[in-house]
Amino acid sequence: MSNQIIKKSKGFNDDVLWSNLKEGDEKSFSILFERYYKDLICYGNSLSPFSEKVQDCVQDVFADVWVYRNSLQDNVVVKAYLLSSVRKRIARLFERDHIFRKTTSTEAIEFLFDFSIENELVEDEVTAERVLYLNKLLNDLPPRQKEALYLRYHQGLSVEQIAELLDVNYQSANNLLYRALLSLRKEWKGSIPLILLISSSVL
């Protein structure tokens, strides 16, 4: 790549960066690393309480991407691919450490993310009380439903991508989202849209 192209590479979309990476462009690799490292760490920490091991897993995923770049698929959704790779690597780590029985599935991983609505979205005391209750409802959802919501509204994945990441079919992934939202909508009567609150919640 020329210096002019490299200077503009921050504006490149993931497809361009991925293609450049596959051709050995270190700058494109670095941009993807910087773009998604925090998201992958956040997701990894929701799957494992061992933060140092999560960091190792995320770094190993990026290392593998670079080392095996010549064999990477051309058409991938980069963010979904990286999230899935982190999940699989953490599952292998758990298996190695005998945290759960030997399995080729990642289903045994428990989702640990805690939803917490940001205070600045709260309009009044009544709404604040409702939001506290909504936090509880979110965090009391079954782990798979919580993870599906997180991937859909925090990481922006499609239902198809969530299905692939969780190793389930499309209908199962759609059901996880539907049941979670149905459960929440039965209880939420606030003036702030439910989806806005879920999307803006933080650790």
Side-chain angles (χ1 to χ4, degrees), residues 65-123:
V65 165
W66 181 253
V67 171
Y68 301 109
R69 60 188 180 277
N70 292 328
S71 60
L72 295 173
Q73 295 181 0
D74 291 326
N75 300 316
V76 300
V77 179
V78 176
K79 187 175 187 179
Y81 174 86
L82 293 173
L83 288 168
S84 179
S85 297
V86 167
R87 197 178 205 280
K88 290 174 182 176
R89 186 167 287 276
I90 289 176
R92 289 198 298 270
L93 179 67
F94 282 3
E95 179 183 321
R96 187 195 69 190
D97 292 346
H98 307 292
I99 294 176
F100 53 71
R101 291 183 180 180
K102 201 167 188 179
T103 177
T104 56
S105 172
T106 60
E107 188 173 349
I109 297 178
E110 182 177 355
F111 191 66
L112 306 173
F113 181 87
D114 284 329
F115 287 94
S116 178
I117 309 302
E118 294 180 334
N119 293 332
E120 51 264 33
L121 289 175
V122 177
E123 298 173 335

Side-chain angles (χ1 to χ4, degrees), residues 128-147:
E129 292 179 357
R130 297 289 301 164
V131 165
L132 287 175
Y133 182 53
L134 178 60
N135 277 333
K136 182 180 185 305
L137 292 173
L138 279 163
N139 291 313
D140 285 346
L141 289 171
R144 297 280 274 184
Q145 291 182 21
K146 282 178 61 178
E147 186 169 5

Side-chain angles (χ1 to χ4, degrees), residues 1-10 12:
M1 293 178 67
S2 69
N3 290 335
Q4 184 177 5
I5 293 177
I6 289 175
K7 287 179 181 178
K8 294 181 179 179
S9 60
K10 287 187 178 181
F12 284 178

Side-chain angles (χ1 to χ4, degrees), residues 133-166:
Y133 182 53
L134 178 60
N135 277 333
K136 182 180 185 305
L137 292 173
L138 279 163
N139 291 313
D140 285 346
L141 289 171
R144 297 280 274 184
Q145 291 182 21
K146 282 178 61 178
E147 186 169 5
L149 286 178
Y150 171 85
L151 293 170
R152 184 75 180 96
Y153 296 106
H154 282 258
Q155 297 296 351
L157 270 59
S158 67
V159 178
E160 292 90 344
Q161 292 160 4
I162 293 170
E164 184 175 353
L165 191 151
L166 297 181

